[in-house]
């Protein structure tokens, strides 16, 4: 392998190193792409005229992509639920329902995170919202700092997996898959993780009740009438909205983009019914949505340039040759990819990992064969969901778990970063157990798409 053949590997390593500088990811990806494009031109393996190919790829693959229209709509939907206090009312209702169960408050937070995950894929917003609403209450109830912070961080990251997930929309676009089918494949794994969280919390609270004291029995509504009114006002409306959005996608009544528009309009209606809709709120939600989407799409532009130059320099063939030389079979390659993604999650966000790893390893999927374990026609969906489950850990694993920093920036000063790190360890283990189950039993991923599409 000569120096020219090493260019793609040096390019990949350069991105990995430069991302640690804290410079914006979009600039790193785009800058590295331009630099190595000129280096490749110097070696005669990349023609300068190829830079003009970037413009139609960015326009046709991003600006004109109708699938990606769903991203700002889902961002708006989740942001409006947060700003209009619909989410705070929902958490209050769940606390009342779980007040007599060991670890009831932590269980309520997990259920809240699961429900909110089905409204937005913005992990940062979910973690900050749950931290501000639930952590002071949990600390007041004398919950251990580790259990409280671990529960909130894990529950807040469910939005990256449970549909409608922005990450799944992006994955579907990169792999040329149906967004609806990918959503279907993520439903059971998402609820599996949520169920494993609930099981862990219930067992932990039973074994160590001092770490999760129950709520007082006299808290909440005094009779069934007040309880029914609370559920009717706080629990049913957001739940109905979620069922409407996801149900219309799964039933084939609407595309993900159309369903996202219905969800965004529905959150405005909920805010108005709760008398929390104002011009200032609407402007703030639009501004935050615009900033979030600008960040995401700017990274798209840099990643598009990076993947094009990487492939033009022969990066696909270099990766294939390295894996072929390793002698790994299909299971070994799958384990290698999953391990690489897990390790990258210690340092990078899911956006960088997805936009860098998928274009490199996606061509390898057609060479894998798992026999009767997974059919060839279903393997790409199975692989995408495994990757999504794995990427959820990237928000929790130190030293650069973004959910941990979101939480530390909004939690009370008595909660130390070390306690947050210790708190997420069991939940990362639970996530890996969920990933192992999805690998061992692919029907967890594939059963619902098969059932709905038959």
């Amino acid at each position: 392998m000569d120096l020219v053949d090493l260019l793609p590997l040096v390019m990949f390593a350069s991105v990995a190193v430069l991302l640690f500088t804290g410079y914006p990811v979009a600039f790193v990806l785009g800058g590295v792409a331009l630099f190595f494009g000129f280096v490749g031109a110097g070696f005669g393996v990349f023609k300068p005229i190829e830079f003009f190919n970037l413009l139609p790829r960015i326009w046709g693959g991003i600006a004109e992509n109708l699938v990606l229209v769903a991203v700002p709509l889902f961002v708006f939907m989740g942001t409006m639920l947060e700003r209009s206090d619909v989410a705070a009312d929902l958490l209050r209702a769940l606390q009342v329902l779980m007040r007599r169960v060991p670890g009831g408050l932590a269980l309520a937070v997990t259920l809240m995170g699961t429900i909110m995950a089905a409204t937005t894929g913005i992990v940062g917003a979910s973690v900050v919202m749950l931290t501000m609403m639930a952590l002071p209450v949990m600390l007041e109830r004398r919950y251990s700092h580790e259990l409280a912070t671990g529960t909130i961080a894990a529950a807040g990251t469910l939005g990256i997996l449970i549909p409608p997930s922005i990450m799944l929309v992006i994955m579907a676009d990169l792999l040329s898959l149906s967004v609806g089918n990918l959503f279907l494949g993520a439903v059971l794994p998402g609820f599996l993780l949520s169920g494993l969280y609930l099981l862990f919390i219930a067992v932990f609270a039973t074994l160590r009740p001092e770490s999760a004291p129950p709520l007082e029995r006299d808290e909440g509504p005094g009779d069934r009438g007040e309880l029914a009114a609370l559920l009717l006002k706080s629990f049913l409306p957001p739940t109905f909205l979620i069922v409407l959005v996801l149900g219309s996608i799964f039933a084939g009544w609407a595309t993900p983009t159309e369903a996202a528009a219905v969800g965004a309009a529905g959150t405005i209606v909920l805010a108005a019914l709760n008398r929390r809709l104002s011009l200032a709120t609407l402007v703030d939600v639009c501004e935050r949505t615009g900033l979030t989407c600008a960040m995401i799409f700017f990274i798209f532009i840099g990643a598009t340039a990076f993947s094009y130059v990487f492939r033009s320099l022969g990066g696909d063939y270099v990766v294939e040759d390295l894996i072929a030389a390793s002698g790994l079979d299909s299971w070994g390659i799958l384990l290698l990819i999953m391990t690489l993604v897990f390790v990258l999650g210690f340092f990078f966000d899911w956006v960088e990992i997805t936009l860098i790893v998928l274009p490199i390893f996606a061509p390898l999927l057609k060479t894998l064969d798992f026999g009767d374990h997974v059919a060839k026609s279903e393997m790409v969906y199975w692989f995408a969901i495994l990757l999504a489950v794995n990427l959820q850990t990237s928000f929790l694993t130190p030293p650069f778990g973004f959910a941990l920093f979101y939480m530390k920036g909004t939690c009370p000063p008595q909660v130390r970063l070390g306690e947050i790190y210790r708190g997420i360890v069991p939940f990362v283990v639970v996530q890996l157990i969920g990933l192992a189950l999805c690998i061992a039993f692919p029907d967890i991923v594939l059963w619902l798409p098969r059932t709905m599409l038959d």
Side-chain angles (χ1 to χ4, degrees):
M1 185 177 289
D2 55 26
L3 182 60
V4 173
D5 293 331
L6 290 175
L7 280 180
L9 297 180
V10 177
M11 182 179 181
F12 184 84
S14 299
V15 168
V17 172
L18 291 174
L19 285 174
F20 284 105
T21 63
Y23 206 63
V25 175
F27 294 158
V28 169
L29 292 173
V32 168
L34 293 176
F35 177 78
F36 277 87
F38 286 115
V39 172
F43 281 98
V45 294
F46 186 90
K47 298 178 181 178
I49 193 67
E50 290 188 75
F51 283 121
F52 288 96
N53 291 336
L54 294 175
L55 296 178
R57 283 175 173 265
I58 291 171
W59 180 258
I62 302 173
E64 285 190 331
N65 194 325
L66 295 179
V67 174
L68 297 181
V69 175
V71 172
L73 293 171
F74 283 135
V75 173
F76 181 95
M77 181 178 171
T79 307
M80 179 59 80
L81 283 176
E82 175 197 352
R83 288 289 287 113
S84 62
D85 290 337
V86 173
D89 293 341
L90 177 60
L91 178 60
R92 172 62 178 164
L94 291 172
Q95 288 178 22
V96 171
L97 291 175
M98 305 295 294
R99 59 185 171 181
R100 298 184 181 180
V101 182
L105 185 53
L107 295 175
V109 171
T110 304
L111 290 173
M112 172 70 178
T114 304
I115 295 173
M116 289 303 298
T119 64
T120 176
I122 319 171
V123 168
S126 298
V127 172
V128 169
M129 177 186 63
L130 287 175
T131 301
M132 296 179 65
M133 291 191 306
L135 188 57
V137 178
M138 297 178 82
L139 297 180
E140 182 183 344
R141 300 293 177 184
R142 302 185 306 280
Y143 268 66
S144 72
H145 291 187
E146 288 82 359
L147 178 61
T149 54
T151 298
I152 291 172
T157 58
L158 283 170
I160 208 62
L161 178 61
I162 295 178
S165 162
I166 295 173
M167 180 173 69
L168 295 180
V169 174
I170 295 171
M171 279 187 171
D173 179 62
L174 291 173
L175 295 173
S176 300
L177 300 176
S178 163
V179 177
N181 291 350
L182 205 56
F183 278 4
L184 284 171
V187 170
L188 293 184
F191 287 122
L192 170 66
L193 281 185
S194 177
L196 291 174
Y197 293 161
L198 293 171
L199 178 62
F200 166 74
I201 293 169
V203 171
F204 186 86
T206 302
L207 297 178
R208 297 184 58 183
E210 72 280 0
S211 297
L215 294 175
E216 299 295 333
R217 291 181 175 270
D218 58 350
E219 287 202 21
D223 54 42
R224 292 183 178 179
E226 293 182 5
L227 178 60
L230 177 65
L231 294 179
L232 185 63
K233 178 179 181 293
S234 303
F235 182 78
L236 292 182
T239 305
F240 175 75
L241 179 64
I242 293 166
V243 172
L244 183 65
V245 171
L246 295 183
S248 61
I249 296 174
F250 297 156
W253 299 339
T255 65
T257 302
E258 293 166 345
V262 171
T267 56
I268 295 176
V269 173
L270 288 183
L273 291 176
N274 285 351
R275 298 181 180 179
R276 290 164 182 163
L277 180 64
S278 64
L279 181 59
T281 299
L282 191 59
V283 169
D284 181 58
V285 170
C286 290
E287 288 180 351
R288 292 168 64 180
T289 300
L291 290 173
T292 301
C293 293
M295 179 269 294
I296 293 174
F297 280 87
F298 205 176
I299 293 176
F300 274 151
I301 294 173
T304 299
F306 176 85
S307 61
Y308 178 79
V309 175
F310 183 85
R311 288 182 174 181
S312 294
L313 295 177
D316 292 355
Y317 300 109
V318 171
V319 172
E320 290 179 10
D321 291 343
L322 288 175
I323 291 180
S326 69
L328 295 173
D329 60 4
S330 296
W331 286 106
I333 293 173
L334 179 66
L335 181 61
L336 173 65
I337 295 174
M338 291 297 118
T339 303
L340 175 63
V341 170
F342 180 73
V343 173
L344 288 175
F346 281 78
F347 309 103
F348 306 128
D349 195 0
W350 69 267
V351 181
E352 299 97 274
I353 299 174
T354 301
L355 296 177
I356 294 174
V357 170
L358 266 186
I360 295 174
F361 288 105
L364 292 175
L365 295 180
K366 61 180 180 289
T367 68
L368 303 183
D369 186 2
F370 296 96
D372 296 333
H373 193 70
V374 179
K376 276 272 190 180
S377 59
E378 298 175 326
M379 188 172 59
V380 65
Y381 287 97
W382 180 57
F383 174 81
I385 299 303
L386 294 182
L387 196 66
V389 175
N390 199 341
L391 282 171
Q392 191 178 343
T393 63
S394 69
F395 282 95
L396 298 180
T397 46
F400 299 113
F402 285 86
L404 311 181
F405 295 141
Y406 293 143
M407 176 174 290
K408 182 56 182 174
T410 53
C411 68
Q414 67 263 33
V415 178
R416 298 188 297 273
L417 188 60
E419 293 172 326
I420 298 176
Y421 281 173
R422 291 193 297 272
I424 58 91
V425 170
F427 290 95
V428 172
V429 173
V430 167
Q431 287 178 343
L432 294 177
I433 293 173
L435 176 62
L437 289 174
C438 291
I439 293 175
F441 305 100
D443 281 350
I444 296 174
V445 175
L446 301 173
W447 177 80
L448 193 56
R450 289 174 188 156
T451 304
M452 297 293 290
L453 298 176
D454 286 343

